[in-house]
Amino acid sequence: METDVKDTVAINWDELTFSITPTRSMYIAECLEGGTWESKGLVPYGDITLSPAACVINYGQGLFEGMKAYRTAKDNVVLFRPDENARRTNSGCRRLCMPEVPEDLFLDAIRMIVRDNIDYVPPADKGALYLRPLVFGSGPVLGVKPAPSYTFLIYVSPVGPYFKEGLAGINLLITEDFHRAAQYGTGGVKAIGNYAGGMYPGSLAKAEGYSEIVYTDAREQRYLEEVGAANFFLIKGDVLATPELDGSILPGITRKSICEMAATEFGYTIEERQVAIEEIFEADEAFCSGTAAVITPILSMTHRDRKMEFCGGEVGEKTMALYNGLNGIIREEREDPYSWIEVL
Ligand code: PLP
Ligand code: COI
């Protein structure tokens, strides 16, 4: 299936992966020294120029967000809880000494860029338009201190599944050799600096045939934290357990939504608490969640020389029921009792 996108290339929607496809436009706003955010609006998608002394490339003062615009069964284009991304952006801005982005400016920019690139939103069953808001210290510094000026930029790209296995499920390796984040660090916000450190452990796991690494807590290495860049869940009977937000785990918007939906509609008791590695060996099912990952079933987890296969290495039914519940809302295949969807 191919569609001609107005002034650009033809996109093969059947072969979308989680990778960059240039689109028509990107959004830019700037906050100059001591000033407030000023929208520059949409500009053609392309390279930007930066001072070599920009704080973001010297000291990592920056954060990103991840959101999706979905085409639905009703042929609408919808956003999922964009106000939550606006709020999380600002909690990150505070942590990283950057000026907060007014929520209205953030949301207007999101709507503007999706509308301008609407023909890049894949058909309902083929993927989504991924939105990547960035806030970063673009002004020059030499000493370690906040930048004098900032950029808020959003670019978009049509994407397919984050894990190439998609709904077929993934096999994970629990690591004790590397940590993603420690308590009181920056793991609880989407600081860009949190992600480069995961590339090496992730590549080691992939070289051994695993889809991704699972991090444990940096203090005791007894408790599960996150699956690369996604939150972690275990199902045991009618309990849905997920690691509590202790500052080192990203407060996922998908995680929060699953907890609410699973308690309200699926009768689960939600336990946000420390989840010990040992618990996987007693669990019924496990999955991870995120904007990119949506709900991805976990087939197996390996810890040292022990491997746990959930449901005999098959995708679990309870996980799929939760996936269908969430995806049904996102794709307007069912009612949205929580008012999570914004139709553009
Ligand atoms: N954990 C990490 C480290 C992430 O980068 C993400 C992605 O945003 C998530 C979890 C999932 O968060 P969300 O559901 O808001 O996309
Ligand atoms: C997301 O789920 O949107 C993320 O930010 C994960 C990512 C690092 C691709």
Side-chain angles (χ1 to χ4, degrees):
M1 177 175 181
E2 268 191 16
T3 308
D4 274 333
V5 169
K6 274 184 227 160
D7 49 352
T8 51
V9 293
I11 296 174
N12 184 346
W13 302 120
D14 294 318
E15 286 181 9
L16 285 176
T17 56
F18 197 85
S19 56
I20 190 83
T21 300
T23 59
R24 181 168 301 112
S25 56
M26 60 187 192
Y27 172 88
I28 295 190
E30 279 173 0
C31 182
L32 300 181
E33 192 156 12
T36 52
W37 285 102
E38 234 182 80
S39 174
K40 305 279 173 207
L42 298 177
V43 298
Y45 175 85
D47 295 350
I48 56 170
T49 57
L50 267 185
S51 160
C55 194
V56 64
I57 53 175
N58 286 264
Y59 301 123
Q61 190 193 24
L63 60 77
F64 72 94
E65 267 299 330
M67 311 167 67
K68 277 177 176 168
Y70 301 88
R71 203 173 287 283
T72 70
K74 296 183 183 168
D75 208 26
N76 290 321
V77 171
V78 304
L79 296 168
F80 183 73
R81 308 189 80 176
D83 49 320
E84 291 282 341
N85 296 89
R87 275 197 284 278
R88 189 168 64 188
T89 295
N90 284 333
S91 110
C93 285
R94 289 190 291 277
R95 179 66 179 82
L96 299 174
C97 285
M98 302 194 290
E100 291 183 36
V101 179
E103 216 168 290
D104 283 354
L105 185 138
F106 183 99
L107 294 172
D108 287 348
I110 293 292
R111 293 171 191 134
M112 195 189 300
I113 193 166
V114 175
R115 288 199 177 106
D116 195 53
N117 292 281
I118 201 113
D119 42 349
Y120 289 88
V121 183
D125 53 347
K126 304 290 179 190
L129 186 73
Y130 189 74
L131 321 187
R132 178 49 67 82
L134 301 165
V135 184
F136 54 92
S138 40
V141 289
L142 192 55
V144 180
K145 62 178 182 188
S149 54
Y150 294 85
T151 300
F152 169 43
L153 188 155
I154 312 172
Y155 67 90
V156 300
S157 175
V159 294
Y162 183 58
F163 294 107
K164 66 177 185 325
E165 300 86 343
L167 282 178
I170 53 177
N171 297 290
L172 301 176
L173 177 67
I174 300 171
T175 181
E176 289 163 309
D177 298 332
F178 302 95
H179 293 295
R180 189 189 90 90
Q183 223 179 351
Y184 313 128
T186 56
V189 298
K190 279 179 81 77
I192 59 172
N194 292 344
Y195 293 81
M199 292 177 189
Y200 180 62
S203 71
L204 294 182
K206 282 168 199 156
E208 287 184 45
Y210 298 99
S211 309
E212 187 50 284
I213 208 101
V214 185
Y215 294 103
T216 57
D217 73 289
R219 196 185 297 249
E220 294 183 72
Q221 312 206 115
R222 270 186 63 199
Y223 302 102
L224 297 164
E225 295 233 316
E226 299 206 55
V227 179
N231 293 116
F232 177 71
F233 284 88
L234 271 188
I235 303 176
K236 169 100 176 134
D238 64 358
V239 169
L240 184 63
T242 190
E244 67 188 342
L245 303 176
D246 66 348
S248 62
I249 290 173
L250 191 82
I253 296 161
T254 321
R255 172 190 181 279
K256 177 176 172 174
S257 308
I258 291 166
C259 289
E260 191 175 338
M261 184 190 74
T264 315
E265 290 184 78
F266 289 77
Y268 281 104
T269 301
I270 310 299
E271 296 185 357
E272 292 188 56
R273 57 171 171 78
Q274 290 184 311
V275 178
I277 298 169
E278 280 309 307
E279 291 184 51
I280 65 170
F281 297 101
E282 304 293 324
D284 301 334
E285 297 183 25
F287 63 88
C288 66
S289 76
T291 300
V294 194
I295 287 180
T296 300
I298 299 173
L299 304 180
S300 76
M301 294 174 79
T302 300
H303 177 235
R304 298 182 187 161
D305 55 358
R306 293 168 79 197
K307 178 173 180 177
M308 173 63 188
E309 277 197 338
F310 302 97
C311 306
E314 302 283 326
V315 172
E317 281 174 19
K318 293 175 176 174
T319 298
M320 281 313 292
L322 290 172
Y323 172 83
N324 290 329
L326 185 65
N327 197 52
I329 292 175
I330 287 169
R331 299 291 183 179
E332 287 193 301
E333 287 161 1
R334 71 179 187 104
E335 284 305 299
D336 169 15
Y338 313 99
S339 302
W340 285 339
I341 290 302
E342 176 182 325
V343 178
L344 282 177

